Amino acid sequence: MLQNYLKIAWRSLWKNRLFSMVNLVGLALGLTASLLILEYVSFEKSFNTFHPQLPSLYRILMKDQAGTTQGSSAPGIILRADFPEIKGYCRLAEGISNGIITVANQTFREEHSAYADASLFELFQFPLLSGSAQELKKPLTVALSAHQARTLFGSTDVVGKSLSLANQFGKLEYAVAAVYENMPENSDLQVDLVLSLATLQNPAIVASNSWVDPTGVGAQFLTTYVRLAPQSSVSHVEAKFNALLKTLPTGTTDEIRLQAVSFQHLGSSLNDSYLTYGNLGFVYIMTGIALLILLIAWFNYVNLSTALSTKRSKEVGVRKVIGAHRSQLITQFLGESMILNLTAFLLALVLVDLLQLPFNLLIRKNLSLSILFHSSFGLYGLLFFIAGSVLSGAYTAFILSGINPILSLKGGFLKSGRAWLRQSLVVFQFSISIALIAATFIVYHQLHYMQRKNLGMNLQQLLVMQGPEVGREDSLFQDRAVGFRNAVSQLAFVSSFSNTGNVPGNGFNFSTENVLRTDQTAAEAHTSYKVLICDDQYFKTYDIALATGRAFTKGETEKSWKNVAQVVLNEAAVARLSATPTSILGKTISFNGQSVEVIGVVKNYHHLGLKEVIQPIVFWPQQNTTYFTAQISTDQLPKHLSQIQTLYERFFPGNPFSFHFADEQFNYQYQTEQQYSELFTLAAGLSIFIACLGLLGLAAFSAEQRTKEIGIRKVLGASVVQLSAMLSKDFVRLVLIALLFAVPLVWLTMERWLEQFAYHVSVQWWIFAGAGLLTLTIALLTVGYQSIRTALINPVKSLKSE
């Protein structure tokens, strides 16, 4: 019996080859897109799940009065308090540890390191390959990832060996205490060197870096993780923390909150140092797109199956007359659906293999189908596929199996062919297609706006070099830095040169609330000001315009920190001080208790891009060597870079030459929007293609049903244009109805998406007009091809057809 069912199913699919091929291609493409997207969703949802103690791990966050939340250490007294709910903690300091590693006269620039407590390997599941994590309780010890051990030493058998690290704390020798497995790609912690936090308790380091306090009191550069006892109330622990926090002499108004590590990757966007955060909204969008594309493909199947029901009604009538039961007919039609879906699934697996590399390049991750075998989403996806396959075939199966055999044999069954259902599904398909096309236009419009808007500064032809770390302890280091600046400035292709503590697009040096007018009290200071350390050439090099006053002189940037007497503000900082550029100029303000004169005000510029509101900035004059920026001509670029590199290596031996171009690095922050644009473009193209496949099938069916009518109309004098218009008008009407449904949906959704940008475009009517026109044009070309082909048939042949 089963063999007979399969044989009949195959014959039926082969007999209606066009419809079968349309369904097969649509389903295969829909399943391919769904599998690829499911890989991404599974990967994002798998972050940090490999830690055995994940349910009890929390990160301590500090929330200030302005509502800004950032990862930061709890004051040490809190961690030392006798709270039975706290079973362990670990502190990490990322960013401040980066520098230059030297091993056997070879140098490496390290950008994935952290100072941490030895308990890091107790709280988190990062297995050790050799050595002991307990050794990290000692100063000047380090644990290496297997990858870093091989890079530095060529082997993982390196416990007991030493390396030197030169960073802002000087050049220090570290003994390798342990080697651990590479941190998985689905870990928010990505560190190749774990340096002992006890190293920062060195009196010399504390004395020369007053902001360093590894005990935890006021250590704002630290991020702290805690492990809570089972059944502990998070809100209760937060309340106890904050009650104790209020008793501290620091008088802080910040509040502590705990964030579950399980929520860390796809949690809210936080103002902290973790750049590996995922985007929950992006995950939802990807999931929704996968679902919609697959639904469009399945709706094609339902559409074409109901259209074919008229032709197959006689077959059902004959089979019923000769004794077929309804259950047998249902099994038959469901079998056809499952065969088609299974074939499409196998074809999709082949397509996924072919498209995996381009997809990985698009999302910038290394994924494969294997991730679905280790994720519950793989099981959910399989169940959804089975359910969709069954349901897409069930409607037709139950409708056809329930017909009256007498009516069907007389040709009286389903004359309408369930037209209302087909029309509804076509409207749904094209609503989604128009929505995705419109969303693509809006995302691209916003991306173009951010990349082309006047930022208030010039980032073109700016070469940004990472400053040196090796040799900072040398008494002649500053002289070499000045010599390098002078040597580069004298190159014919260099028009300006600047030393800064940070650069646009990368951030600031630090923040402070202690900026006051002389007539204000400390109680009035609740505004956070950003501080950027720069030299006398910064505004010229980045072409930042002065609103009033002047820039720094070279002499002013050469003074020690405590002797600085002049600062420059931006217009946002002046406004926060309730002043105007002209009224503040020449006045004295208080900066962290230090009196300084405002000598200039620069016009607002977008230091962090258009996602962020322009922050109040205090420009502090110093000859900082964290970054060097040179404005260069771009002709003969390799030659010019080689000349600068030669000078860099001469003045800063032992420091790798590392550089980037300011505009490329600045625009890198928009990579998520770039991904949105590329993803929506692909999704929109795929959805419209699949929808038009179905439209082509329906147009062919409609033309076949009206063959004799067309022949009669041609005999009576109807032209090809008139016949094509007659066959196309119903489909055009459906696309226009779809546009009416898509517009409010996209308008509301994209307006909400745009709100995440401090500066953004508005949703324009022409975007929907363009999306509708493009969709209508594609639909007309699809239907028009079939209509013209039908209209050109010889009417004699049409009138003879059965």
Side-chain angles (χ1 to χ4, degrees):
M1 182 65 72
L2 178 61
Q3 182 180 4
N4 184 57
Y5 284 156
L6 293 174
K7 185 182 294 185
I8 295 174
W10 170 251
R11 287 176 177 173
S12 175
L13 293 172
W14 180 253
K15 181 180 179 181
N16 300 287
R17 290 186 293 276
L18 173 63
F19 303 103
S20 299
M21 186 57 63
V22 167
N23 280 326
L24 181 63
V25 173
L27 285 170
L29 291 175
L31 284 167
T32 301
S34 298
L35 286 172
L36 290 171
I37 292 174
L38 197 59
E39 288 178 0
Y40 171 80
V41 174
S42 298
F43 175 75
E44 288 294 300
K45 296 291 285 186
S46 72
F47 263 75
N48 305 319
T49 55
F50 57 90
H51 297 303
Q53 301 181 120
L54 183 65
S56 61
L57 293 178
Y58 292 82
R59 184 171 59 152
I60 293 182
L61 302 173
M62 301 293 283
K63 184 176 181 180
D64 61 24
Q65 280 197 332
T68 302
T69 308
Q70 56 187 345
S72 130
S73 173
I77 188 173
I78 287 182
L79 293 175
R80 293 194 297 270
D82 185 20
F83 286 175
E85 296 89 347
I86 306 299
K87 294 302 180 182
Y89 70 88
C90 171
R91 297 164 300 165
L92 294 95
E94 294 184 86
I96 65 170
S97 54
N98 294 337
I100 306 298
I101 298 174
T102 304
V103 176
N105 296 322
Q106 287 187 303
T107 58
F108 307 84
R109 186 174 291 278
E110 176 53 50
E111 296 182 348
H112 298 94
S113 62
Y115 289 103
D117 291 314
S119 54
L120 170 71
F121 296 96
E122 297 174 6
L123 264 66
F124 298 99
Q125 180 67 21
F126 301 126
L128 294 181
L129 298 176
S130 59
S132 170
Q134 295 304 310
E135 292 294 308
L136 290 177
K137 293 180 179 180
K138 303 175 183 178
L140 297 175
T141 54
V142 61
L144 303 177
S145 69
H147 166 75
Q148 190 67 299
R150 294 189 186 97
T151 300
L152 299 177
F153 297 98
S155 169
T156 57
D157 186 19
V158 295
V159 172
K161 295 186 178 182
S162 63
L163 58 85
S164 67
L165 174 66
N167 57 20
Q168 58 186 307
F169 305 122
K171 186 175 183 179
L172 300 172
E173 292 287 328
Y174 292 83
V176 179
V179 176
Y180 56 91
E181 289 184 7
N182 296 330
M183 293 185 177
E185 191 178 1
N186 61 341
S187 169
D188 276 319
L189 287 176
Q190 293 292 334
V191 181
D192 283 327
L193 271 88
V194 179
L195 302 155
S196 167
L197 190 62
T199 302
L200 299 187
Q201 291 176 327
N202 185 317
I205 292 177
V206 175
S208 59
N209 300 273
S210 58
W211 51 274
V212 174
D213 186 355
T215 61
V217 180
Q220 296 301 309
F221 62 91
L222 290 173
T223 298
T224 303
Y225 291 89
V226 295
R227 180 168 67 89
L228 300 185
Q231 310 304 320
S232 295
S233 167
V234 174
S235 59
H236 179 66
V237 175
E238 287 177 338
K240 292 179 71 172
F241 275 166
N242 287 313
L244 185 56
L245 190 64
K246 292 178 181 178
T247 67
L248 299 181
T250 55
T252 179
T253 57
D254 292 350
E255 292 184 353
I256 286 177
R257 58 162 290 196
L258 299 180
Q259 182 193 37
V261 174
S262 58
F263 187 66
Q264 179 174 297
H265 184 69
L266 292 177
S268 301
S269 177
L270 302 175
N271 181 25
D272 59 25
S273 60
Y274 286 86
L275 301 180
T276 57
Y277 267 67
N279 187 316
L280 185 59
F282 192 50
V283 171
Y284 285 152
I285 288 172
M286 293 279 280
T287 305
I289 287 175
L291 175 63
L292 291 173
I293 290 175
L294 197 52
L295 284 177
I296 289 174
W298 273 327
F299 286 170
N300 274 352
Y301 179 83
V302 174
N303 266 344
L304 296 177
S305 296
T306 55
L308 286 171
S309 61
T310 302
K311 295 176 64 175
R312 301 197 65 179
S313 61
K314 288 187 178 181
E315 171 197 342
V316 174
V318 171
R319 295 183 65 184
K320 275 198 165 188
V321 167
I322 62 177
H325 295 291
R326 186 176 187 184
S327 60
Q328 294 173 315
L329 294 172
I330 291 174
T331 303
Q332 174 67 52
F333 293 126
L334 284 177
E336 292 180 14
S337 173
M338 293 305 297
I339 289 174
L340 195 63
N341 278 274
L342 183 59
T343 305
F345 181 76
L346 296 176
L347 181 58
L349 293 179
V350 176
L351 291 175
V352 167
D353 186 59
L354 295 174
L355 298 174
Q356 189 70 70
L357 180 58
F359 180 73
N360 287 350
L361 292 174
L362 171 64
I363 63 173
R364 298 172 179 86
K365 298 185 186 298
N366 184 27
L367 304 181
S368 68
L369 275 174
S370 61
I371 193 173
L372 299 181
F373 297 111
H374 306 287
S375 168
S376 59
F377 281 88
L379 177 61
Y380 295 150
L382 179 62
L383 293 176
F384 181 77
F385 167 71
I386 294 174
S389 300
V390 172
L391 291 176
S392 63
Y395 178 83
T396 306
F398 278 91
I399 290 296
L400 282 174
S401 64
I403 67 173
N404 186 316
I406 298 176
L407 288 177
S408 65
L409 292 174
K410 287 182 177 180
F413 171 69
L414 293 178
K415 288 294 184 183
S416 66
R418 291 293 191 269
W420 65 268
L421 175 65
R422 295 200 300 274
Q423 291 171 354
S424 300
L425 295 181
V426 168
V427 168
F428 177 85
Q429 290 176 309
F430 279 93
S431 294
I432 298 304
S433 299
I434 293 171
L436 288 173
I437 292 173
T440 302
F441 286 170
I442 294 170
V443 171
Y444 179 79
H445 191 31
Q446 175 65 19
L447 183 62
H448 185 269
Y449 170 78
M450 292 189 296
Q451 292 175 335
R452 299 292 185 272
K453 187 180 187 300
N454 182 4
L455 299 172
M457 61 179 172
N458 176 38
L459 298 177
Q460 302 300 313
Q461 298 179 296
L462 292 184
L463 177 71
V464 179
M465 294 162 276
Q466 187 78 41
E469 295 291 350
V470 175
R472 283 181 174 273
E473 69 282 358
D474 191 335
S475 60
L476 298 178
F477 175 78
Q478 197 60 40
D479 292 336
R480 292 202 305 273
V482 172
F484 176 69
R485 168 178 170 152
N486 293 337
V488 174
S489 298
Q490 290 171 8
L491 295 173
F493 56 85
V494 176
S495 54
S496 63
F497 186 93
S498 174
N499 297 3
T500 56
N502 220 318
V503 292
N506 196 54
F508 301 94
N509 290 101
F510 61 91
S511 301
T512 181
E513 293 184 357
N514 299 316
V515 179
L516 299 166
R517 298 195 318 270
T518 53
D519 59 340
Q520 285 182 305
T521 63
E524 298 176 79
H526 294 308
T527 296
S528 176
Y529 293 81
K530 304 298 181 182
V531 180
L532 182 69
I533 299 173
C534 62
D535 67 354
D536 54 301
Q537 294 297 307
Y538 173 70
F539 302 124
K540 176 186 175 183
T541 303
Y542 282 88
D543 195 18
I544 298 170
L546 282 163
T548 186
R550 64 175 177 84
F552 302 119
T553 64
K554 185 177 180 181
E556 289 167 344
T557 64
E558 293 174 343
K559 294 180 180 180
S560 66
W561 185 275
K562 292 184 178 180
N563 291 329
V564 166
Q566 297 86 14
V567 295
V568 173
L569 307 177
N570 71 341
E571 291 174 321
V574 173
R576 290 288 179 90
L577 289 170
S578 301
T580 64
T582 53
S583 67
I584 199 72
L585 190 65
K587 299 296 177 60
T588 299
I589 63 172
S590 174
F591 178 89
N592 289 340
Q594 185 174 342
S595 295
V596 291
E597 178 190 1
V598 179
I599 62 169
V601 177
V602 298
K603 292 184 177 180
N604 285 335
Y605 72 98
H606 296 278
H607 187 88
L608 295 180
L610 276 73
K611 288 185 176 182
E612 307 287 340
V613 175
I614 293 177
Q615 300 288 328
I617 307 174
V618 177
F619 299 94
W620 194 263
Q622 289 285 298
Q623 288 287 348
N624 193 284
T625 57
T626 303
Y627 291 97
F628 301 129
T629 303
Q631 188 175 46
I632 64 175
S633 60
T634 53
D635 61 309
Q636 297 183 313
L637 186 59
K639 178 183 176 181
H640 295 164
L641 288 175
S642 178
Q643 288 180 259
I644 294 176
Q645 181 175 357
T646 299
L647 290 173
Y648 188 94
E649 292 173 348
R650 187 211 308 172
F651 283 97
F652 308 116
N655 288 277
F657 180 65
S658 178
F659 69 91
H660 64 265
F661 287 95
D663 56 341
E664 293 177 356
Q665 183 68 20
F666 191 86
N667 287 330
Y668 183 74
Q669 64 184 302
Y670 302 139
Q671 65 170 328
T672 299
E673 287 68 40
Q674 184 68 46
Q675 285 181 330
Y676 278 147
S677 178
E678 294 168 352
L679 174 66
F680 284 162
T681 300
L682 291 174
L686 191 57
S687 66
I688 195 71
F689 178 75
I690 296 174
C692 284
L693 277 178
L695 202 61
L696 179 65
L698 289 176
F701 174 78
S702 176
E704 182 181 343
Q705 292 293 96
R706 304 177 72 174
T707 300
K708 288 189 176 181
E709 176 190 349
I710 292 169
I712 294 172
R713 287 179 180 274
K714 287 195 73 173
V715 169
L716 295 176
S719 66
V720 172
V721 174
Q722 290 173 323
L723 291 173
S724 298
M726 179 193 71
L727 291 170
S728 303
K729 66 179 182 180
D730 289 338
F731 296 107
V732 171
R733 178 172 56 85
L734 295 178
V735 173
L736 292 176
I737 294 173
L739 178 62
L740 296 179
F741 281 103
V743 168
L745 172 66
V746 179
W747 196 299
L748 293 174
T749 303
M750 297 310 293
E751 280 282 6
R752 185 172 180 181
W753 178 75
L754 288 170
E755 287 175 0
Q756 68 179 300
F757 301 95
Y759 307 91
H760 57 79
V761 299
S762 57
V763 180
Q764 302 289 336
W765 66 269
W766 58 263
I767 291 176
F768 300 102
L773 182 61
L774 178 60
T775 306
L776 185 59
T777 301
I778 295 172
L780 277 174
L781 290 174
T782 303
V783 176
Y785 164 76
Q786 184 63 43
S787 300
I788 293 173
R789 182 184 174 191
T790 305
L792 290 174
I793 295 176
N794 188 319
V796 175
K797 184 178 179 181
S798 300
L799 293 172
K800 285 183 178 180
S801 66
E802 285 295 334

